Amino acid sequence: DADVTQTPRNRITKTGKRIMLECSQTKGHDRMYWYRQDPGLGLRLIYYSFDVKDINKGEISDGYSVSRQAQAKFSLSLESAIPNQTALYFCASQGSSVTGELFFGEGSRLTVL
Amino acid sequence: KNEVEQSPQNLTAQEGEFITINCSYSVGISALHWLQQHPGGGIVSLFMLSSGKKKHGRLIATINIQEKHSSLHITASHPRDSAVYICAVGRWYGGSQGNLIFGKGTKLSVKP
């Protein structure tokens, strides 16, 4: 099994729909992240969580929300999807230390029509 | 100015060539990560280093903390090395960027 699993891997939806992207990790890591990747812009941080009770907004959190259901699970929601949220989304986890190795999911490609 | 700059942005090489990708940063860091992203999307961690040099197979990563610079070298390059290579620095604190700042990546294409 992959260390970090994202579902779904691909999703096409319509404007206004609610979408949830799920992420689970088997590394026992406290730190989890959600990023989006757009061509030419690199990885941009949406939300991050340093433990189950700690949720922080990233630089592009508007239009998104998250839930840290357990140490292993970190979900990203788009309450009302819009076309400019079409992107490749990555979940990542990192060990408790600031020098912990990074583990990424395979990515979730979201298309909003 | 971006806090993490990579160069070059694009690189085309012939199979067998020695390749160097550079990463410069302007913030204090706890660690630096080199990541690889193949076409199709998945991102894997190649190295994490806070000082000196690490080697894994044909890949070598170095970091100079005083100069705030890191390099990723690929010896005897192969077409399967074609990917985007991303440098990321870890900071000791969070904020809206979190504790990780990413470069925009270097797209490497190795021709047979």
Side-chain angles (χ1 to χ4, degrees):
Chain A
D1 287 345
D3 295 316
V4 180
T5 302
Q6 289 183 232
T7 56
R9 293 289 312 282
N10 288 283
R11 181 73 183 268
I12 299 173
T13 191
K14 294 183 178 180
T15 297
K17 294 291 188 181
R18 184 177 187 272
I19 295 296
M20 178 180 285
L21 305 180
E22 297 185 334
C23 176
S24 63
Q25 48 100 359
T26 60
K27 302 296 292 184
H29 288 164
D30 287 325
R31 296 171 179 239
M32 296 188 74
Y33 307 86
W34 274 106
Y35 294 95
R36 68 177 277 175
Q37 186 179 46
D38 300 276
L41 296 180
L43 288 160
R44 293 186 292 164
L45 182 64
I46 306 172
Y47 272 93
Y48 64 105
S49 170
F50 283 172
D51 68 40
V52 174
K53 295 181 180 179
D54 177 68
I55 303 288
N56 302 282
K57 291 183 177 181
E59 57 185 327
I60 57 165
S61 61
D62 287 348
Y64 301 95
S65 62
V66 291
S67 173
R68 186 82 185 263
Q69 300 96 321
Q71 185 194 44
K73 295 184 183 296
F74 192 37
S75 300
L76 176 72
S77 293
L78 288 68
E79 295 301 326
S80 180
I82 57 176
N84 76 359
Q85 291 177 313
T86 294
L88 183 58
Y89 291 84
F90 284 100
C91 175
S93 74
Q94 185 182 28
S96 298
S97 166
V98 294
T99 57
E101 187 178 355
L102 289 168
F103 293 83
F104 283 83
E106 289 292 312
S108 297
R109 187 169 295 280
L110 177 65
T111 302
V112 183
L113 301 176
Chain B
K1 186 177 187 299
N2 294 328
E3 292 170 299
V4 178
E5 295 276 1
Q6 288 186 235
S7 63
Q9 288 185 321
N10 293 281
L11 181 56
T12 300
Q14 288 297 127
E15 184 173 355
E17 287 185 355
F18 180 84
I19 290 164
T20 296
I21 299 171
N22 297 298
C23 177
S24 296
Y25 53 92
S26 57
V27 296
I29 69 169
S30 56
L32 184 141
H33 304 260
W34 280 104
L35 311 169
Q36 180 191 55
Q37 184 175 22
H38 278 290
I43 299 174
V44 296
S45 176
L46 297 175
F47 295 102
M48 182 191 64
L49 63 166
S50 54
S51 65
K53 175 179 174 178
K54 286 189 176 181
K55 184 175 188 290
H56 184 253
R58 296 180 294 105
L59 301 178
I60 303 166
T62 64
I63 187 168
N64 184 317
I65 297 295
Q66 287 73 29
E67 295 186 2
K68 296 187 174 180
H69 181 268
S70 176
S71 293
L72 176 67
H73 305 286
I74 305 175
T75 61
S77 60
H78 189 277
R80 66 176 174 267
D81 297 324
S82 298
V84 175
Y85 293 84
I86 302 169
C87 170
V89 300
R91 301 183 298 180
W92 290 102
Y93 58 94
S96 65
Q97 290 180 289
N99 65 310
L100 295 164
I101 306 176
F102 293 83
K104 289 185 166 42
T106 295
K107 185 175 181 180
L108 171 65
S109 177
V110 182
K111 305 294 185 186

